[in-house]
Amino acid sequence: MKELTEAGYVVENGELESTGGRKAKTLSIAKDAGYAAGMDITMDAILFVLVNMRKELVRKARIRVPFAKDFSYYEAMANWLRVFLEQTGVEDAKSMAIISFLIMSSPLIA
């Protein structure tokens, strides 16, 4: 636990009542230890979301754009994602450390 706390992945939240001996400390995952980004691609829009390690919503944005199966659409989608992540203010090291992408209800899958 000491290594995880020193690395910033775990934080102390307080202490529990003692039943004898030293008091037990309560620990939790540090909410800013890492992030996960998600994209929901539909036929008429893309929803971007960013959550922290505690599954709390950090930011969301919707871009209304018709889906297209062409290279320019995918280039634009990558650019929108880059801009969205820049606007969150999350440090690159933290956003890249534990980032995953979820594509839900995508017309690409159908």
Side-chain angles (χ1 to χ4, degrees):
M1 277 298 151
K2 181 180 177 183
E3 292 171 358
L4 292 173
T5 302
E6 288 174 355
Y9 294 113
V10 174
V11 293
E12 293 182 15
N13 292 329
E15 295 181 339
L16 299 175
E17 290 296 318
S18 175
T19 57
R22 65 178 164 175
K23 293 182 179 180
K25 294 180 181 179
T26 59
L27 304 171
S28 67
I29 295 173
K31 68 180 182 180
D32 63 350
Y35 298 86
M39 294 170 39
D40 184 8
I41 303 168
T42 65
M43 292 306 290
D44 63 353
I46 301 173
L47 173 66
F48 298 95
V49 296
L50 185 75
V51 296
N52 62 25
M53 291 293 286
R54 293 186 187 164
K55 301 180 194 173
E56 298 167 336
L57 182 65
V58 175
R59 183 174 169 81
K60 72 176 181 177
R62 179 180 301 273
I63 297 174
R64 296 219 175 266
V65 58
F67 175 76
K69 288 186 179 181
D70 63 59
F71 186 73
S72 62
Y73 175 84
Y74 302 119
E75 273 187 321
M77 185 174 60
N79 187 53
W80 295 323
L81 176 62
R82 181 187 53 75
V83 169
F84 171 76
L85 292 173
E86 286 174 357
Q87 290 174 345
T88 65
V90 173
E91 298 173 32
D92 285 344
K94 288 189 176 181
S95 66
M96 297 310 290
I98 308 174
I99 196 164
S100 63
F101 292 93
L102 305 173
I103 299 178
M104 307 170 327
S105 67
S106 170
L108 301 171
I109 298 171

